Amino acid sequence: FNAAISARCKSGEWKEALQLLSVMAQRGVDSSIISSCAATSACERTGEWPNALKLCSRMMETNAKADIVLFSAAISACEKGNRWDKALQLFSAVAQCKVQ
């Protein structure tokens, strides 16, 4: 799944990347930080900041180990969508979560 999601990311196919994450969940496959980062990056490349935020929030809610790549992609998606308020909130969350 990670390779397929990464391929979708590179081609800007964010809907398909998110669809693959859904398929993973339906099949009982836990999404890894790699697959979540790739899907978030796909959203970032196309300025889909709401979906990038959802993915980031989901990782934080499930106590999964979110990393700086995930937060950076979500922050960049917010920037591309001119949502500086959301970008600053995420930036604050990075410090609070002690992201590495």
Side-chain angles (χ1 to χ4, degrees), residues 7-39:
R8 297 293 189 243
C9 172
K10 290 178 183 171
S11 62
E13 299 175 30
W14 65 272
K15 288 180 185 177
E16 290 79 1
L18 295 179
Q19 226 170 11
L20 285 171
L21 281 179
S22 293
V23 169
M24 289 175 72
Q26 290 169 359
R27 294 186 182 175
V29 177
D30 289 333
S31 60
S32 69
I33 188 68
I34 295 169
S35 54
S36 294
C37 284

Side-chain angles (χ1 to χ4, degrees), residues 10-81:
K10 290 178 183 171
S11 62
E13 299 175 30
W14 65 272
K15 288 180 185 177
E16 290 79 1
L18 295 179
Q19 226 170 11
L20 285 171
L21 281 179
S22 293
V23 169
M24 289 175 72
Q26 290 169 359
R27 294 186 182 175
V29 177
D30 289 333
S31 60
S32 69
I33 188 68
I34 295 169
S35 54
S36 294
C37 284
T40 304
S41 292
C43 293
E44 178 266 330
R45 288 176 187 234
T46 57
E48 284 296 319
W49 65 269
N51 289 307
L53 287 179
K54 285 179 192 174
L55 289 168
C56 201
S57 293
R58 189 178 308 148
M59 291 299 289
M60 291 188 307
E61 287 170 3
T62 60
N63 293 321
K65 188 175 180 179
D67 70 358
I68 197 65
V69 175
L70 179 75
F71 278 100
S72 293
I75 289 169
S76 182
C78 291
E79 177 265 327
K80 288 181 179 176

